[in-house]
Amino acid sequence: RHQYGFDNIIGRSAAMRRVFDQVRMVSKWNTTVLLRGETGTGKELIANAIHYHSPRSSGSYVRLNCASLPENLLESELFGHEKGAFTGAVAARRGRFEAADGGTLFLDEIGEISPAFQAKLLRVLQEGELERVGGSRTLKVDVRVIAATHRNLEAAVDSGDFREDLYYRLNVMPIVLPPLRERPEDVPDIARFLVNRIGEMQGRRLSLTDAGLRRLSQYNWPGNVRELENCLERAA
């Protein structure tokens, strides 16, 4: 809870204070959360904070980037598989949903999954039931889902790339993370925090001049906090 608390998410701007208020409110309940925002805005940090400030904080916190796996592996990874379900399945294996039972499952890049897989995911979200790949036994799971995407899901629904029923199931509590260019007043604090962290990793003291901070605040950071961190690490 200390490691993933709000102290590690920097933002004094009105936009970030609004995000913090939403996170504190939704953390208390089991509501499904959809984190929206550009790449590099800190969606994973917010997901961490929601779990560790929730009544499920003592339960498992399981993460999966949906864009990192092909569809056939994604199903096995999330739902698990039985022995002999496919070539190489030498033993039965629990999926991420089973591993997160009683806790939280964070699904990053949810907008990248195919319509066919979306139907399978919808059933688990609605019924809390799943079958492992190659199995026939129905398993019940109690999992709080936090999803994240940088995609425009409304446009994906209109184009038929994303199921409307799954969109509404995920979009119960949307939290939109503002891009860094919309909160330039936060750049100096974030930059100092990152420089201190880079200095600790490199075993030396690092600091930023006032002129350097002004220059950083004038740039619009299309890659957001991730770009700022990479820029500072390269400078160091």
Side-chain angles (χ1 to χ4, degrees), residues 208-218:
L208 282 159
T209 63
D210 290 342
L213 287 169
R214 279 196 301 274
R215 185 77 186 87
L216 291 174
S217 299
Q218 288 163 0

Side-chain angles (χ1 to χ4, degrees), residues 2 4-5 29 31 70 76 79 85 133 140 152 179 193 219-220 228:
H2 169 72
Y4 295 106
W29 317 109
T31 309
S76 169
F79 302 151
V133 176
K140 292 284 287 183
N152 183 332
F193 174 84
Y219 181 61
N220 73 356
L228 173 59

Side-chain angles (χ1 to χ4, degrees), residues 6 15-29 33 46 50 144 173-177:
F6 294 106
M16 284 307 292
R17 287 203 303 270
R18 188 162 58 248
V19 167
F20 293 153
D21 287 344
Q22 290 176 314
V23 169
R24 287 188 180 96
M25 182 169 57
V26 80
S27 294
K28 304 172 191 171
W29 317 109
V33 179
I46 295 295
I50 291 172
R144 192 230 185 119
M173 179 65 185
I175 297 179
V176 180
L177 273 73

